[in-house]
């Protein structure tokens, strides 16, 4: 595979890191050549350091790789970051400053004004924001983020409506699977026979990320889409797959009415 | 118990009929003296005709009662009706016409213009609508209905907001327990590890009943509350108890903004 | 596909029939050329007659096939039968008598003395029993059955132990998925937050089938394996996949003790 | 309440400690006058130190009590201990040595030869074992334990059979609720759509405790009941309530055969 691009995974032993390894196993462009995790795992063979939780087997080649320290020295130029937000906040800028292209799955930098938050099908042009990043002007590194899992599905559905009719109000209610909370995550006593009507920080993320994703690039800034937005996030007894119920109103009155059977006053 | 009012239950062998029996067991005003069900049950002792599904025991006195035919002859003046909507449509008017006060749990007559749909804490005054009923002017019978289970919780919360600020838009999303679908109801293969994003006729009921409940009595008609209303109903893997996530906007702008973090255009 | 064997499916519209269609789609030996179901489906295109419930799509070729009447006239020589036991009892002998090789998934004929009940890895030799079947001596047809789903997993594990050490006692407890009850099958109100400690006829099937499967062919009879057997079958809130906990004792005392930490008297 | 006996709870802030508080709230004999927990809780009002998880409210009087240090100084003479086994191992003997009657819910001392393991309906006579305890001969304290939750239900059912027919073999399979694992306990990702076929140390406890409970007091020792015993413990997606499937054989052959349809050899 001499033509593949060498990539590294930060936070390789966690569930998200494992998913990166799984998805990149047969990737036509990328080859995982570097795995980093916390001090506890450093220096150990990956198969031993990680408690593998996915249903497919650990790729044999990856199983034997030694876990590297989580520092830019020796890391490849392309980094997929699967870190907790609290750690990502420090570590992702460090790798970008050292010249790496950091593609992050964490919420740490998502709302930072010069960091693109991207769904390729929706706002690929926001990627130009990386030219405003200080790291880019230094050693050439940069950071790009992907959105919250619940925002992705919502925005993919909203984008064409927004382009054609302009959204005025969006009210989204989620019923999210427990896998989104990681492992061990949600306690079974909390979810069996129950709906948990709150997911910490999730509603804020959905609201502000949706507006940034549907916003417009204006020089070195994203102007958020100016609709009113309310998100309410619930956890349900489902293993995988989020469900969302969405209502709202459009600005272009000639085009479409909000879905409503309400009788309006005259 | 010579001072208690004698009451009957129509559809006494079903789950809702059983719940009426359970709730009326120690009632200070009412005594169940008549139970009616389909032809199949008629003439049999109740304990044998009904497949009792509640966790509390069948009241001993009720267990021994004989199931009566579902006709007004011999029925007491007060009837709690627990019938399927299709049957209720024929049978409830028949009992009202024969002089009975029919208190119905079915959707059959709820939206009929001269039938009150009542939550006592919210719109007790709508009860005056019974004076417009033809049965009232004949033998004196009448019919009153209670709302859909999901509308009750919603309207109890909306009523004080509507009175003070006037609702402009209501967007309600439900996550409803499987018990609401009766027994056997929802198949376990459909709900385990899943959210069912549709409940037949439930959204229509929630929307139109909410507007009628919060409407105003104007002579012999209810003028429905004129807000825009959207309901989306989901079934979740919960045994008992519905959850609802609600958003919306109020008309009195000085008073309150909809819960939203949206940036508004200037 | 000129060299493939033409096969038919009896009960093709049910869940088991659908599974036969799914599993045979790319089979190297067999080609489904005939689908039969109840009168209600007869003459209609399969895609319209069946309410397809599997996650993979209906094979395009099968979707367009017309459902045949469930009679041997016009049926191919090899029939996979996916009928309810009550119907299978009449219909499977009818097809065998007409010269078909009937491979049945139902319990109807399993315990009939001249019908082989086979797990190929365990008792392939029992297949010789078909030579004792009257149909074989007539037009040459015969019937073979596969075991109850819970018996299969149990017997695959017991077989090598029985051969080497001879089973004396087997006590099996199952925790079975709801998919085993078909659709709609188990009501969600019965299984959410619950274990259902009884599955009609399942314990009898597991007990007698296990003894027949591990029995020995003696001329035209199977002598059931002579161990004491107890099965207790429970339904649990799992979509797919049965779990079993098994204990027991072996006859060959020199070889092995039952799994037990019991202190024995001297 | 001057005539009530003053009692203390060790480990009062955990789930089991909370359950003791709940169950003792209106107890006719006992009054909770002392609550102890770890250093972290010491000196704080109970309502603040404990994260109350039960559905009934914290008894008002208890809510205001200050959490004491977990040392015998100042503790009442009767102690209900709700500690983790690892801590109980040190702390329960310490309280017994200081003169307290320690009634323990933990597994730490259950199998100690001079500590009674008691189900009052089954083996109340085992209580005499406390006279053999060294603490009893010192300051007069002693320790008594109750069994593992799964053993209690099993032994209540086995006891009359054992007395009349003498058990020869017992094979028990449990399907246990997640509440038995405490909070947060079982991860929802592990139990949704699944059976967990292993509960650490549970099988050993069920096996040895069952034999001790049905054993006989012989001077200063319990001679365990001499039947062979196998327990297999599974966790299922149930909130509360364990289910058990049990098989076995009896020694008194004239009396009863094990439940079995096995054909026996001649």
């Amino acid at each position: 595979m001499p033509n593949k691009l060498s990539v590294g995974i930060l936070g390789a032993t966690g569930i998200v890191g494992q998913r990166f390894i799984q998805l990149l196993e047969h990737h036509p462009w990328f080859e995982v050549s570097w795995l980093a995790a916390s001090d506890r795992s450093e220096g150990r063979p990956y198969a031993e350091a990680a408690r593998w939780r996915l249903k497919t087997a650990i790729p044999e080649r990856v199983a034997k790789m030694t876990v590297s320290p989580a520092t830019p020295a020796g890391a490849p130029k392309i980094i997929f970051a699967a870190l907790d937000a609290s750690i990502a906040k420090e570590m992702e800028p460090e790798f970008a400053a050292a010249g790496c292209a950091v593609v992050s799955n964490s919420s740490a930098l998502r709302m930072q004004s010069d960091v693109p938050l991207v769904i390729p099908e929706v706002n690929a042009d926001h990627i130009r924001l990386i030219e405003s990043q200080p790291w880019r002007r230094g050693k050439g590194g940069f950071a790009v983020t992907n959105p919250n899992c619940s925002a992705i599905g919502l925005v993919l559905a909203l984008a064409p409506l927004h382009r054609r009719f302009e959204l005025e109000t969006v009210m989204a209610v989620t019923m999210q699977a427990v896998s989104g909370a990681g492992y061990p995550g949600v306690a079974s006593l909390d979810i069996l026979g129950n709906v948990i009507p709150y997911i910490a920080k999730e509603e804020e993320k959905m609201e502000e990320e949706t507006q940034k994703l549907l916003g417009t690039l204006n020089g070195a800034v994203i102007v958020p889409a100016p609709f009113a937005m309310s998100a309410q996030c619930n956890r349900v007894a489902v293993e995988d797959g989020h469900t969302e119920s969405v209502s709202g109103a459009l600005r272009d009155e000639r085009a479409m009415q909000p879905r409503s059977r309400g009788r309006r006053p005259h």
Side-chain angles (χ1 to χ4, degrees), chain A residues 4 19 32 56 80 85 90 129 133 177 182 192-193 242:
Chain A
K4 286 199 182 183
R19 194 66 78 178
V32 175
T56 55
F80 293 106
E90 306 297 325
L129 213 55
Q133 296 180 354
L192 287 174
H242 298 349

Side-chain angles (χ1 to χ4, degrees), chain A residues 157-168 214-215 225-227 250:
Chain A
L158 292 181
L161 289 171
H162 187 51
R163 275 183 210 127
R164 174 65 188 79
F165 305 116
E166 209 182 326
L167 296 168
E168 187 173 85
L214 293 174
F227 48 81
L250 302 172

Side-chain angles (χ1 to χ4, degrees), chain A residues 14-99:
Chain A
I15 285 279
V16 178
Q18 293 180 22
R19 194 66 78 178
F20 268 126
I21 288 170
Q22 182 191 50
L23 293 173
L24 290 168
E25 183 175 5
H26 302 294
H27 201 284
W29 302 349
F30 301 124
E31 178 168 65
V32 175
S33 64
W34 182 88
L35 302 168
S38 65
D39 297 355
R40 197 170 42 75
S41 300
E42 192 191 318
R44 298 168 66 196
Y46 180 76
E48 196 189 281
R51 186 153 175 201
W52 189 260
R53 297 203 164 274
L54 306 186
K55 287 182 181 170
T56 55
I58 310 190
E60 215 176 315
R61 198 179 55 79
V62 168
K64 295 175 195 155
M65 287 172 61
T66 301
V67 177
S68 302
T71 53
K77 285 291 172 197
I78 301 172
I79 297 292
F80 293 106
L83 301 164
D84 279 344
S86 56
I87 298 166
K89 207 176 170 180
E90 306 297 325
M91 208 172 268
E92 289 177 1
E94 188 188 342
F95 276 76

Side-chain angles (χ1 to χ4, degrees), chain A residues 145-158:
Chain A
T145 60
N146 77 355
N148 174 278
C149 52
S150 298
I152 295 174
L154 175 65
V155 171
L156 279 167
L158 292 181

Side-chain angles (χ1 to χ4, degrees), chain A residues 16 19-20 23 79-83 85 88 92 102-112 115-121 123 126-127 130 133 143-153 155 205-206 208-210 212-213:
Chain A
V16 178
R19 194 66 78 178
F20 268 126
L23 293 173
I79 297 292
F80 293 106
L83 301 164
E92 289 177 1
V102 178
V103 180
S104 166
N105 194 62
S106 127
S107 66
L109 305 183
R110 278 179 200 156
M111 293 308 297
Q112 194 165 305
V115 172
L117 176 67
V118 181
I119 300 173
E121 296 84 346
N123 65 336
H126 288 198
I127 206 83
I130 61 175
Q133 296 180 354
V144 178
T145 60
N146 77 355
N148 174 278
C149 52
S150 298
I152 295 174
V155 171
K205 286 181 199 169
M206 273 193 78
E208 65 189 15
E209 293 183 17
T210 297
K212 181 171 181 178
L213 284 159

